[in-house]
Amino acid sequence: IGLNIPNKAPPILHANPQGNIDAILKQAWLRAGTAANAQPQLIICVLPNTGEQLYAEIKRVSDTVIGIATQCIQARHMMQAKKQYCGNVGLKMNVKLGGMNWFLGSNDIPFISDRPTIVMGADVTHSNPNNPASPSIATLCATMDAKASRYAASIRCQTAKSDIISDLADMVRELLKNFYQTCGRKPERILFYRDGVSEGQFAQIMEGEIKAIKVACQSLDITYRPTITFVIVQKRHHTRFFPIIGKDADRTGNCLPGTVVETMIIHPFEFDFYLQSHAGLQGTSRPTHYHVLWDENEFDPDSLQTLTYYLTYTFARCTRAVSLVTPVGYAHLLCRRARYYTQHSSSSEAASFSSEEEPTFSGTFGTVMPDLAKVMWFM
């Protein structure tokens, strides 16, 4: 699948999928380290089914207890693996091992490559209605190179049902430090994509999160003031586009990838646009709405639309453009992964059903091990 693997006979461990996953993975990690006489980089787990409970426990233990990337594979694909399946698994394994699947040329993204620039994507996910005691989870991803290919991540849990990221300043500061340690320079510009916000919350975002980004920068150096562009990303809307002329449609009848709408149906004087960046595989494609709340970088519409469209081609798990700008897509993946790190105590679960008061979370939330910071473990 294109990966250079020197050890052609790694140690294999057979285990009970209903057993102690913590002990099983630790044993596999020790065996691999002993056999290679080095720190293991990846554990491949062959799963008997698609059950989420086993998958979630594997990810929780590997990410927050051991600190090693894992790649899960379904057993039914092992004996008759198709080329496309192997390719998709290879894409994930490569970035988990610190590789780069693809990147954009410096001429395509001058805003990022000309000067030190960090692109960030943030999202918030809420608990299942059946488990109201579980906290909301905020995630932040950010580029670590001038090719917009490598990303680092930060995760926080916060008060349930809160859409505003309460600890954003600390998260931004953490990733700015990572950027400096990786590139050796402070980013002079910040492009921030924020998902999961409705129009009624724009004022709160302006007052809270944009201010938090500035506070994070000045906490590192009182004179450090990079220019900030803050863009809201919205997918939950009912707007759809249909090509009038047949030649302007793709094979599924949708608008062609890269279609931009910036007149008539947008805000009369604010900076926003619709971008349908992906090719529809089935049904009617839904465009993404981008709304610029703050722009100190003085983007003109064409440059921001083009940059956003090009970034949709850098999603490491896909060989084509995706519907969401990549930093936000990664933030989505992180939200889903971070939900596995939550462990409820028995008292917390009982409180959520027995008390009429607002339930409180009394469990634990795992922290990702520092050893994973240099790779895109969440893929």
Side-chain angles (χ1 to χ4, degrees):
I1 56 179
L3 298 176
N4 181 22
I5 304 176
N7 185 5
K8 304 300 181 182
I12 298 175
L13 176 65
H14 297 275
N16 181 4
Q18 297 180 350
N20 186 337
I21 304 302
D22 192 323
I24 293 170
L25 286 177
K26 285 180 179 178
Q27 185 180 1
W29 180 76
L30 288 172
R31 279 197 190 182
T34 302
N37 196 25
Q39 185 83 355
Q41 294 178 281
L42 181 73
I43 297 178
I44 297 179
C45 303
V46 182
L47 308 186
N49 53 55
T50 58
E52 186 178 20
Q53 185 174 358
L54 175 59
Y55 177 84
E57 183 64 5
I58 289 173
K59 295 302 181 182
R60 184 193 69 80
V61 173
S62 62
D63 294 349
T64 66
V65 179
I66 301 176
I68 185 173
T70 54
Q71 178 60 54
C72 293
I73 301 174
Q74 293 297 316
R76 60 190 178 91
H77 293 297
M78 288 294 293
M79 302 307 295
Q80 296 179 342
K82 297 181 180 179
K83 185 177 180 180
Q84 182 178 356
Y85 182 82
C86 293
N88 291 338
V89 172
L91 292 176
K92 295 180 183 181
M93 290 175 60
N94 187 43
V95 293
K96 289 177 182 179
L97 293 170
M100 185 184 300
N101 289 345
W102 33 70
F103 57 88
L104 295 170
S106 58
N107 294 332
D108 297 323
I109 48 172
F111 176 79
I112 298 175
S113 59
D114 287 353
R115 291 163 54 190
T117 302
I118 188 169
V119 183
M120 295 183 169
D123 191 19
V124 176
T125 182
H126 303 300
S127 62
N128 190 303
N130 296 327
N131 191 10
S134 185
S136 294
I137 295 175
T139 59
L140 182 66
C141 290
T143 55
M144 291 291 120
D145 58 15
K147 299 177 180 179
S149 179
R150 299 180 186 274
Y151 283 75
S154 180
I155 303 172
R156 297 289 189 279
C157 60
Q158 59 185 38
T159 306
K161 306 303 179 184
S162 175
D163 286 321
I164 307 301
I165 302 177
S166 57
D167 201 19
L168 183 61
D170 190 54
M171 297 170 74
V172 171
R173 181 168 55 248
E174 176 185 332
L175 293 184
L176 288 175
K177 288 181 178 179
N178 285 352
F179 185 96
Y180 181 79
Q181 292 168 357
T182 303
C183 302
R185 299 180 64 183
K186 297 178 182 177
E188 299 177 13
R189 299 184 286 206
I190 297 176
L191 175 55
F192 197 103
Y193 291 97
R194 174 69 159 91
D195 192 25
V197 177
S198 63
E199 292 187 17
Q201 297 171 311
F202 283 4
Q204 292 176 273
I205 293 293
M206 289 281 291
E207 178 63 26
E209 296 190 3
I210 295 178
K211 183 178 180 181
I213 298 173
K214 296 180 179 180
V215 168
C217 297
Q218 294 179 20
S219 68
L220 298 173
D221 184 348
I222 194 64
T223 62
Y224 178 46
R225 289 180 170 83
T227 52
I228 301 169
T229 296
F230 196 101
V231 185
I232 300 294
V233 182
Q234 296 174 312
K235 284 284 285 186
R236 296 179 181 177
H237 56 75
H238 300 288
T239 304
R240 302 291 185 274
F241 301 139
F242 302 93
I244 298 176
I245 304 174
K247 67 178 183 178
D248 294 331
D250 62 12
R251 60 185 180 84
T252 62
N254 286 292
C255 294
L256 296 172
T259 298
V260 172
V261 176
E262 57 179 349
T263 59
M264 303 297 289
I265 62 172
I266 62 169
H267 199 280
F269 54 84
E270 293 184 4
F271 186 0
D272 69 319
F273 59 91
Y274 287 91
L275 170 62
Q276 188 164 307
S277 56
H278 63 299
L281 300 179
Q282 186 177 7
T284 303
S285 299
R286 178 187 301 177
T288 303
H289 185 213
Y290 296 90
H291 197 125
V292 181
L293 283 191
W294 189 264
D295 184 21
E296 295 176 343
N297 290 300
E298 300 180 350
F299 274 105
D300 61 78
D302 287 346
S303 60
L304 181 58
Q305 291 160 8
T306 302
L307 175 59
T308 301
Y309 176 53
Y310 284 171
L311 286 175
T312 64
Y313 280 91
T314 62
F315 197 77
R317 287 178 17 172
C318 190
T319 57
R320 61 176 70 196
V322 293
S323 61
L324 278 173
V325 66
T326 294
V328 168
Y330 288 163
H332 275 306
L333 294 180
L334 268 174
C335 283
R336 193 178 306 126
R337 176 68 69 86
R339 186 60 64 190
Y340 300 147
Y341 305 157
T342 305
Q343 287 188 302
H344 295 269
S345 65
S346 57
S347 60
S348 172
E349 293 176 354
S352 65
F353 291 99
S354 62
S355 175
E356 295 182 359
E357 300 178 358
E358 188 72 20
T360 56
F361 178 66
S362 59
T364 59
F365 187 82
T367 303
V368 178
M369 299 296 286
D371 292 342
L372 294 175
K374 296 180 181 180
V375 298
M376 295 169 63
W377 47 269
F378 50 87
M379 297 301 293

